[in-house]
Amino acid sequence: MNSWDHLPILATVSVARAARRRVLFVAGLWLLLATVGMAGASADSAAAGADVSVAQSLGDRELTIVLRRVTSVPGPLRVDVVTHAGTAPGRLALAVTPTGPQADSSLPVAGAPTARGVVELGGTPGMYSATLDMDRPGPWELAIDDGARVARIPFVVPAQVTSPPERLVYLGFVVAGVLLPVSVVIAVRAERSAWALLPAGGMVAGVAVSVTAALLSASLPLPPQPGGQVDPTVDTVTDPYSPKQPMISDYSRPPVLLTVEGSVTAGRPGDLDLVVLDAATGAPADDLLVHDSALMHLLVVAPGGGLSHLHPIRVAPGRYRIHLTAPEAGRYAVSAEVARRCGGVQMVRAPSGFVALPDAAAPPVKPSVPLRLGGADKSASMVLDGTSITVEATDAVAGEPTTITAKVGDTADLQPWLGMVGHLIMAGPLPDGSDIAAAVANSPVWGHAHSMGPTSMPDMPGMSGGHDMKDMSGGHDVPGTSSRHDLPGQRGGQDMPGMGSGHDMPGMSGEHDMPGQHDTGTTARGVMLMPPVNGESPPDETVAAYGPDAPFTFTFPIAGRYRLWIQVERDYTVLTVPIVLDVAPGAHR
């Protein structure tokens, strides 16, 4: 046998070695791609959601109920109750009830409380807590009982959901993981190791599917979120990607109607019921969302001009209740700001308000003396509950942005109330007269704006040049009727669930150094309350680190005299600053 006779044997050995090298190369490539692919697989994982804060006027107590996020089920739900100055100590009984039908027969039936707890409120303002056990995802209701009345707060416990792209990621890696040892065994033991390329090819295909799904999962839209965009049920919570679920949200629900039931007597505490009805069907509207940390923001203006910003408790579907003491006899103007699921944010007025009957024994009402701004008056000051407050305003001209800044004390110790550093409520133009509530009830504009604090941040790390974004505020400019209407020159549309929480409302000018924005000419002091991102939770009322300045920017559409009320929280006390602002006529457009 000569040397040429060994060529077939050498060729066979070379092919086998090449096949083995290919298999080992593919195996190494699979391990590398597995590492990269696994890192991106969680991009589309459903988040557990942020904490939920709900303000509640429960009897004489003004409380903030904070439902901390539930990260796993079964798991704990921590309920924090924030009290304010003047809140009486006492006991609150808590109970949680699942409201959706449950297919798992091993769990307690829905509709009955599954966990109970007690919160002991102390005499010092602050946070008091209790922990309740949650045994299933889906829609729930938290009942808070003070012994005389029960507040019922709907909420959703999210499920840990695996999205379709994520399933493909896991499936592809499982297939590749099974085929990897098969390829190695065939390459080592088979006489014709080239056969190992078949399972190796399947392994590469599995990795390709996994990596593609991982990369695409970050760009695919999430399904409509139960509770915020679609009605929460066990099915929409546990399987939001099901083909049976709607893939888009329905924003066609009509505005609501608001009526007030009951009567009160001046100087005496009493209860009023607020009935919320669907404007199209007349049925109770039980789909209000937590908007700006409340299910309902109730604004009540007394005949003498005093403002009460309250948060009625939900006692039944479409029915809310408020406990109050009317300071004086007469008719009160009533407006409510709500956000309806698939219906947007609405400022709805109760056409007749309510009447407080006279009582000869009622103590006399001390009239509030408002600050006066407008024209030559650019600044005014007062002392409220021991706090020095100065309010400054730029030129107030109809149709142009006006910036109003409340300077509260000298230190950054304001607390976020209802998720904001400050609130500005305005009504007008108002005619001259002593019955301010009657004038407010008929005013063409009744609005609500927010301040997140100063937005000039020269001292923030990484912010060169200060990035002066001026006074970014949100407003709810509502001339006239229930749902927000547009005035000439303003932007239209309602805020839809899931479309962001910027509070960019008609009549407001959020300023980001854009052309045509209004320059205040001064630098506001303090720290901006940054909106949460990526599912984070905003700071609660225990964080006293904002202000001392709270700037608001609003465009008054009509010239005339307006009543304004600025509200901020300091030392667990909500301070309300009354203001009269004269808005000059603007140029014709």
Side-chain angles (χ1 to χ4, degrees), residues 92-112:
L92 298 179
L94 309 182
V96 287
T97 302
T99 58
Q102 182 68 36
D104 190 349
S105 59
S106 64
L107 297 174
V109 65

Side-chain angles (χ1 to χ4, degrees), residues 14-43:
S14 300
V15 171
R17 288 176 178 173
R20 291 189 182 96
R21 284 197 296 268
R22 293 190 186 98
V23 170
L24 293 177
F25 171 76
V26 171
L29 180 63
W30 176 84
L31 292 176
L32 175 63
L33 292 179
T35 305
V36 176
M38 282 298 186
S42 61

Side-chain angles (χ1 to χ4, degrees), residues 122-461:
T124 303
M127 183 176 289
Y128 302 88
S129 305
T131 301
L132 305 172
D133 293 327
M134 312 303 293
D135 61 5
R136 72 196 77 177
W140 287 74
E141 184 178 88
L142 171 67
I144 307 173
D145 187 352
D146 68 351
R149 52 192 62 83
V150 179
R152 302 186 182 277
I153 302 174
F155 67 101
V156 175
V157 173
Q160 299 298 321
V161 179
T162 302
S163 67
E166 196 172 356
R167 293 171 190 163
L168 288 177
V169 171
Y170 295 141
L171 177 61
F173 280 120
V174 168
V175 171
V178 171
L179 293 179
L180 174 62
V182 174
S183 301
V184 174
V185 170
I186 293 177
V188 173
R189 294 184 175 274
E191 294 182 359
R192 302 182 64 180
S193 52
W195 287 105
L197 295 177
L198 293 177
M203 184 174 63
V204 171
V207 172
V209 170
S210 297
V211 173
T212 302
L215 294 176
L216 292 179
S217 63
S219 59
L220 294 177
L222 291 173
Q225 299 302 297
Q229 295 172 292
V230 295
D231 294 325
T233 64
V234 173
D235 290 338
T236 58
V237 172
T238 58
D239 192 10
Y241 292 97
S242 170
K244 297 180 294 184
Q245 309 298 350
M247 296 310 295
I248 59 173
S249 296
D250 175 19
Y251 296 120
S252 62
R253 295 188 184 179
V256 298
L257 303 176
L258 177 68
T259 59
V260 182
E261 297 180 354
S263 62
V264 294
T265 301
R268 299 182 184 180
D271 290 348
L272 294 173
D273 277 9
L274 306 162
V275 182
V276 182
L277 302 176
D278 182 283
T281 65
D286 196 34
D287 54 1
L288 300 189
L289 304 175
V290 175
H291 163 65
D292 291 344
S293 300
L295 288 167
M296 177 184 291
H297 298 267
L298 188 71
L299 306 176
V300 179
V301 178
L307 173 77
S308 298
H309 184 168
L310 306 171
H311 305 96
I313 62 174
R314 175 178 170 271
V315 295
R319 182 172 290 268
Y320 293 76
R321 183 167 297 158
I322 190 65
H323 181 83
L324 52 76
T325 300
E328 56 187 308
R331 185 174 297 278
Y332 286 68
V334 177
S335 175
E337 183 180 317
V338 299
R340 188 176 188 189
R341 184 181 302 120
C342 303
V345 179
Q346 305 167 25
M347 180 83 86
V348 55
R349 303 188 192 187
S352 58
F354 69 89
V355 175
L357 302 176
D359 184 358
V365 178
K366 182 180 178 180
S368 61
V369 180
L371 302 178
R372 294 189 175 272
L373 298 172
D377 297 324
K378 305 295 185 183
S379 177
S381 300
M382 69 185 310
V383 176
L384 190 61
D385 289 347
T387 299
S388 176
I389 300 175
T390 298
V391 180
E392 299 177 352
T394 60
D395 291 335
V397 179
E400 298 182 9
T402 300
T403 298
I404 302 167
T405 302
K407 302 177 181 291
V408 185
D410 296 315
T411 58
D413 58 359
L414 296 183
Q415 299 160 276
W417 185 50
L418 306 175
M420 313 293 171
V421 173
H423 298 258
L424 171 64
I425 299 161
M426 74 290 292
L430 307 180
D432 294 332
S434 59
D435 193 344
I436 299 172
V440 167
N442 298 316
S443 65
V445 177
W446 192 335
H448 182 184
H450 297 138
S451 173
M452 302 298 282
T455 55
S456 297
M457 301 174 285
D459 299 328
M460 292 188 66

